[in-house]
């Protein structure tokens, strides 16, 4: 099971990057806005001592080799040792990363980070024999031990999970070859990364403001939002023009990555690349296919959205180049950090007093590094150490996005806090598939709280527009990516070649269908066909669909919890909180099912689409009202 062990990087990263530019020095930041890494180790010297001691412990594992099948007691002792070392390793790693993130320029923390990574590599090679040895045991015997030996209970999931992999695990020699092939399989993605992050000659353009911009991927995602249409046209033409000159190369790098996925599928005896990828977290392929089918069925909702966008931007024809301008220009909202904490706590009240009290306590006990400072890592994330507490890094700059990020990261942190509090260490970390549910759930409660307290139509329209754009980009755009990803894998599985040119043809076909090009809803120019070439996620092996499923699940769950408010019932809330305390004690799909969303059905998706349509109903009402001429003449200016 892939667990959300280290820092959770979040959607908000691009929006946050400018924050550090305005920052002062870390020494001038008041202590109450800093996290406290001393809760992990009192000093760097203590960290070093712990690291050295752990390095010396690694050989301990070797003494259990060949003995796991002797008795439940020997198996238990080996697993206890392995998980103890694993926990100390995570503590070392979080400390080193945290220290380095306070000032990424500092050399010593970077060395510490590297030392922790080296120790982690040594740990994984010192434990590489454990799973194969368990697999070689008689399964019935292992299951009987789990039942009879109470002390093995915390390790049940680990053992079951190891046994589940048996049909797809190879002999020792073949596993070694497969592991080495794994290194080669990453080459396509690595070449793509170097090309798109460093070597690609991105164009420099001049905007209508007179500003000159080098259009790399991050500048592109910023300037495609330009309010001036001629600017965004230029941005699209130049950026996609540059990608187009590397279309063939990018096709080769992606084809190489897909070959790697197909190799895994073949040697590990899966029917399809999709099945091989989803097997890791035990997600049924039906969940993926269900998402694609649900989105197709709901394209009229996307087209309704596109119509509304066209109206709000006052365009006679909507084109793909017009999709990133914010629907509503930002309204003036500014928040102090303490005020933001108060708002987030109030907004999360539907989760109950126990939840908000714990979060409030976390706010005042240095879980969070709030403010930007020179050299601090940009963006936002949440992490944590079992037996200590969650940590979250922000670059809070007082804007509405920053408030959202605080709610989002606090969602991760509370998930960590509750799971760590309720679970033994081996099942304390939650699966990736549910991680972004806890964070986006909180974003949903926040935006509804803000809507309930918005002071005028302009603020309401801004908030509704933000909610709507989030749903549109996550539900539709990420699923569009997921559909493309499945289609090019299937193309390769049929033995058809993958080239830059045919990837572009495929991409354009899907994009045109989604955006209603033929129905004249939104024009998708030929130029856009090469958009796939800059998206790194296509190298992650069926990862991106989880953004959409997380949003579907959280929107549906939050809606159910909000609907309970005032009824005196807390059934849905309690089920959701139980999921937050369940870590990885069950598979992700079962955790969500217990919380009230069955991701193998369309019901949660329909709830999310209902929210999207409800949001548009309200926006249209406000716009219609604003469009109406005043009914009585105004004789004096109103205040
Ligand atoms: Zn997140």
């Amino acid at each position: 099971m892939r667990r959300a062990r280290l820092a959770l990087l979040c959607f908000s990263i691009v929006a946050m990057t400018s924050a550090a530019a305005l920052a002062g020095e870390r020494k001038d930041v008041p202590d109450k806005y800093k996290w406290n890494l001393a809760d992990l180790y009192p000093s760097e010297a203590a960290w070093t001592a712990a690291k050295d001691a752990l390095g010396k412990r690694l050989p301990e594992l070797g003494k259990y080799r060949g003995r796991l099948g002797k008795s439940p007691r020997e198996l238990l002792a080996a697993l206890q040792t392995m998980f103890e070392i694993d926990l100390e390793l995570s503590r070392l790693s979080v400390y080193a990363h945290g220290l380095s993130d306070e000032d990424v320029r500092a050399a010593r923390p970077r060395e510490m980070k590297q030392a922790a990574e080296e120790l982690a590599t040594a740990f994984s090679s010192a434990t590489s024999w454990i799973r194969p040895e368990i697999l070689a045991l008689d399964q019935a015997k292992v299951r009987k031990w789990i039942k009879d030996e109470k002390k093995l209970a915390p390790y049940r999931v680990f053992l079951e999970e190891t046994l589940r992999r048996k049909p797809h695990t190879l002999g020792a020699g073949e596993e070694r070859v497969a592991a080495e092939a794994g290194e080669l399989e990453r080459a396509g993605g690595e070449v793509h990364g170097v090309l798109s992050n460093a070597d690609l000659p991105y164009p420099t353009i001049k905007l209508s403001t007179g500003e000159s911009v080098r259009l790399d991927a991050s500048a592109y995602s910023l300037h495609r939002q330009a309010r001036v249409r001629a600017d965004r046209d230029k941005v699209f033409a130049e950026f996609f023009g540059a990608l187009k000159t590397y279309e063939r190369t990018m096709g080769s790098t992606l084809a190489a990555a897909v070959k790697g996925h197909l190799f895994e599928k073949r040697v590990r005896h899966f029917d399809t690349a999709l099945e091989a990828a989803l097997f890791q977290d035990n997600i049924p392929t039906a969940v993926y296919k269900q998402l694609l089918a649900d989105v197709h069925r709901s394209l009229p909702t996307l087209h309704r959205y596109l119509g509304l966008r066209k109206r709000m931007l006052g365009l006679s024809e909507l084109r793909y180049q017009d999709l990133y301008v914010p629907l509503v220009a930002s309204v003036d909202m500014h928040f102090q950090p303490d005020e933001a904490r108060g708002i987030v706590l109030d907004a999360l009240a539907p989760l109950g007093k126990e939840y908000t009290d714990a979060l409030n306590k976390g706010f005042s006990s240095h879980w969070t590094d709030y403010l930007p400072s020179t050299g601090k890592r940009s963006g936002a994330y949440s992490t944590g150490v079992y037996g200590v507490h969650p940590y979250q890094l922000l670059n809070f700059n007082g804007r509405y996005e920053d408030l959202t990020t605080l709610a989002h990261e606090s969602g991760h942190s509370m998930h960590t806090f509750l799971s760590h509090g309720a679970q033994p260490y081996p099942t304390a970390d939650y699966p990736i598939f549910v991680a972004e549910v806890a964070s986006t759930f909180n974003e949903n409660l926040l935006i509804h709280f803000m809507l309930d307290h918005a002071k005028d139509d302009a603020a309401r329209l801004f908030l509704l527009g933000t909610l709507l754009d989030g749903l549109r980009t996550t539900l539709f755009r990420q699923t569009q990516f997921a559909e493309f990803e499945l289609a090019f894998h299937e193309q390769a599985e049929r033995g058809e070649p993958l080239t830059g040119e045919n990837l572009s043809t495929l991409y354009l076909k899907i994009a045109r269908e989604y955006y209603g090009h033929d129905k004249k809803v939104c024009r998708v120019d030929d130029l856009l066909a090469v958009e796939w070439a800059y998206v790194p996620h296509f190298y992650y092996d069926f990862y991106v669909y989880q953004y959409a499923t997380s949003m579907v699940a959280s929107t549906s769950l939050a809606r159910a919890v909000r609907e309970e408010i005032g009824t005196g019932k807390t059934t849905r809330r309690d089920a959701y909180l139980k999921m937050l305390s369940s870590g990885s004690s069950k598979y992700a799909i079962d955790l969500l099912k217990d919380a009230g969303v069955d991701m193998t059905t369309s019901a949660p998706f329909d709830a999310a689409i209902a929210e999207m349509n409800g949001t548009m109903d309200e926006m249209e009402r406000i716009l219609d009202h604003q469009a109406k001429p005043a009914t009585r003449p105004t004789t004096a200016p109103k205040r």
Side-chain angles (χ1 to χ4, degrees):
M1 190 177 308
R2 284 181 290 181
R3 296 183 299 171
R5 141 66 40 86
L6 275 172
L8 291 154
L9 295 173
C10 299
F11 301 127
S12 48
I13 223 140
V14 173
M16 302 292 296
T17 44
S18 58
L22 309 166
E25 294 299 321
R26 185 168 183 87
K27 65 175 172 45
D28 301 326
V29 174
D31 259 357
K32 68 169 185 166
Y33 297 129
K34 288 180 184 163
W35 60 21
N36 185 13
L37 296 177
D39 290 343
L40 296 169
Y41 300 99
S43 63
E44 280 184 43
W47 181 91
T48 307
K51 182 205 64 143
D52 293 344
L54 194 67
K56 290 203 187 87
R57 266 199 87 181
L58 284 188
E60 258 180 56
L61 285 160
K63 73 177 188 217
Y64 298 103
R65 193 162 187 171
R67 306 193 56 84
L68 299 185
K70 299 277 181 224
S71 69
R73 192 163 302 187
E74 301 231 25
L75 178 62
L76 176 65
L79 294 178
Q80 278 170 338
T81 308
M82 179 173 83
F83 278 99
E84 272 169 34
I85 296 177
D86 186 66
L87 172 54
E88 187 66 31
L89 204 53
S90 90
R91 195 173 181 125
L92 287 166
S93 171
V94 169
Y95 185 88
H97 277 88
L99 199 63
S100 176
D101 292 344
E102 288 178 2
D103 187 350
V104 293
R105 300 164 306 175
R108 172 67 188 141
R110 251 186 319 188
E111 285 165 18
M112 293 165 70
K113 219 164 69 171
Q114 206 173 348
E117 275 155 23
E118 277 162 21
L119 204 53
T121 309
F123 173 68
S124 79
S125 89
T127 51
S128 63
W129 57 273
I130 291 183
R131 280 180 189 262
E133 192 169 318
I134 293 169
L135 279 178
L137 303 177
D138 175 18
Q139 293 202 20
K141 181 167 91 174
V142 177
R143 293 214 160 90
K144 188 171 178 324
W145 286 359
I146 298 172
K147 233 172 80 197
D148 297 349
E149 174 57 69
K150 293 271 177 300
K151 286 185 179 157
L152 274 176
Y155 305 98
R156 184 188 57 80
V157 170
F158 172 81
L159 290 167
E160 291 285 354
E161 183 53 17
T162 303
L163 298 179
R164 184 179 74 87
R165 287 162 191 267
K166 186 156 191 165
H168 305 285
T169 304
L170 312 171
E174 290 165 303
E175 277 293 342
R176 221 174 13 251
V177 175
E180 295 205 4
E183 302 267 315
L184 306 177
E185 282 163 32
R186 285 192 282 280
E190 280 161 16
V191 175
H192 175 263
V194 173
L195 181 59
S196 58
N197 294 322
D199 288 352
L200 204 140
Y202 289 107
T204 297
I205 61 162
K206 203 167 199 157
L207 298 172
S208 60
T209 53
E211 186 194 356
S212 257
V213 193
R214 180 174 176 271
L215 264 191
D216 57 14
S218 73
Y220 162 72
S221 31
L222 180 66
H223 293 291
R224 67 184 173 183
Q225 302 174 31
R227 284 247 154 235
V228 177
R229 200 178 201 192
D231 280 346
R232 52 183 195 261
D233 281 2
K234 199 187 254 182
V235 166
F236 272 88
E238 293 286 335
F239 182 72
F240 285 96
L243 288 180
K244 179 79 185 164
T245 54
Y246 286 82
E247 183 185 47
R248 282 185 297 259
T249 310
M250 305 277 214
S252 301
T253 58
L254 188 53
V258 172
K259 274 189 189 132
H261 302 162
L262 296 200
F263 173 81
E264 283 288 322
K265 163 201 104 122
R266 267 195 317 276
V267 299
R268 299 200 176 278
H269 318 296
F270 288 100
D271 289 336
T272 62
L274 177 69
E275 194 191 320
L278 269 54
F279 177 81
Q280 301 304 321
D281 286 338
N282 203 17
I283 309 291
T285 53
V287 169
Y288 198 97
K289 303 237 166 107
Q290 183 74 54
L291 175 70
L292 301 190
D294 286 337
V295 162
H296 266 263
R297 193 167 49 82
S298 308
L299 286 179
T301 299
L302 176 61
H303 295 172
R304 178 184 174 192
Y305 163 88
L306 294 166
L308 178 60
R309 172 167 273 276
K310 181 173 148 190
R311 171 182 176 186
M312 290 181 74
L313 296 180
L315 300 170
S316 57
E317 182 193 35
L318 185 76
R319 303 150 322 138
Y320 201 80
Q321 290 89 326
D322 305 316
L323 296 183
Y324 293 93
V325 199
L327 273 182
V328 182
S330 185
V331 294
D332 189 26
M333 287 193 195
H334 205 84
F335 310 92
Q336 295 303 318
D338 296 327
E339 185 189 6
R341 295 201 284 212
I343 294 172
V344 167
L345 289 170
D346 288 345
L348 301 181
L351 286 174
K353 197 168 170 332
E354 224 173 295
Y355 183 102
T356 51
D357 280 353
L359 179 59
N360 193 18
K361 195 157 167 251
F363 280 156
S364 55
S365 48
H366 301 281
W367 289 5
T368 307
D369 211 66
Y370 279 94
L371 303 178
S373 57
T374 314
K376 182 172 162 180
R377 180 203 167 120
S378 62
Y381 68 74
S382 166
T383 182
V385 175
Y386 188 79
V388 187
H389 57 70
Y391 280 92
Q392 57 190 41
L393 177 140
L394 306 176
N395 278 281
F396 189 88
N397 236 351
R399 297 163 306 177
Y400 181 72
E401 299 99 278
D402 301 326
L403 181 65
T404 304
T405 306
L406 175 63
H408 180 111
E409 300 307 338
S410 299
H412 287 312
S413 295
M414 282 303 295
H415 194 178
T416 303
F417 176 80
L418 293 170
S419 278
H420 285 193
Q423 296 293 322
Y425 179 61
T427 51
D429 285 335
Y430 35 84
I432 290 170
F433 193 83
V434 296
E436 294 300 340
V437 175
S439 54
T440 52
F441 182 103
N442 283 8
E443 283 191 45
N444 188 285
L445 286 191
L446 173 69
I447 208 154
H448 283 282
F449 175 84
M450 296 298 287
L451 278 167
D452 290 344
H453 294 83
K455 61 181 190 316
D456 54 29
D457 278 353
R460 290 189 70 74
L461 214 48
F462 167 74
L463 292 163
L464 291 163
T466 306
L467 173 61
L468 185 60
D469 269 336
L471 287 164
R472 189 266 299 186
T473 49
T474 312
L475 297 188
F476 289 98
R477 183 169 162 83
Q478 301 297 342
T479 306
Q480 177 202 345
F481 285 172
E483 180 161 347
F484 174 64
E485 187 174 6
L486 179 61
F488 68 70
H489 278 92
E490 286 177 347
Q491 190 169 321
E493 281 167 353
R494 287 193 302 268
E496 296 166 22
L498 288 187
T499 63
E501 292 90 333
N502 66 29
L503 283 163
S504 289
T505 305
L506 180 63
Y507 190 84
L508 188 64
K509 181 175 163 277
I510 294 171
R512 284 192 164 153
E513 195 182 343
Y514 270 66
Y515 292 92
H517 174 85
D518 292 339
K519 293 182 177 146
K520 308 242 178 291
V521 178
C522 172
R523 199 177 90 202
V524 183
D525 293 336
D526 290 351
L527 174 74
L528 279 313
V530 74
E531 186 173 42
W532 60 271
Y534 95 101
V535 179
H537 299 80
F538 295 136
Y539 294 84
Y540 299 173
D541 201 12
F542 296 103
Y543 187 87
V544 62
Y545 80 102
Q546 300 178 100
Y547 292 130
T549 50
S550 301
M551 182 73 105
V552 166
S554 69
T555 307
S556 176
L557 287 165
R559 201 177 166 88
V561 170
R562 281 188 283 110
E563 279 167 2
E564 269 184 355
I565 299 172
T567 64
K569 278 197 242 150
T570 57
T571 321
R572 296 302 302 272
R573 177 186 90 188
D574 298 343
Y576 175 67
L577 290 173
K578 183 152 190 297
M579 183 192 91
L580 296 185
S581 317
S582 296
S584 52
S585 58
K586 287 184 174 185
Y587 289 117
I589 289 295
D590 298 328
L591 289 170
L592 287 169
K593 205 176 276 177
D594 291 352
V597 283
D598 183 348
M599 298 304 287
T600 61
T601 71
S602 296
F605 188 89
D606 290 342
I609 286 292
E611 171 126 349
M612 199 167 160
N613 277 307
T615 306
M616 289 194 276
D617 291 344
E618 195 164 351
M619 288 175 81
E620 282 169 353
R621 255 198 312 275
I622 295 175
L623 291 170
D624 290 347
H625 180 75
Q626 286 178 342
K628 257 188 217 148
T631 46
R632 55 199 163 95
T634 43
T635 48
K638 286 212 171 71
R639 297 235 160 221

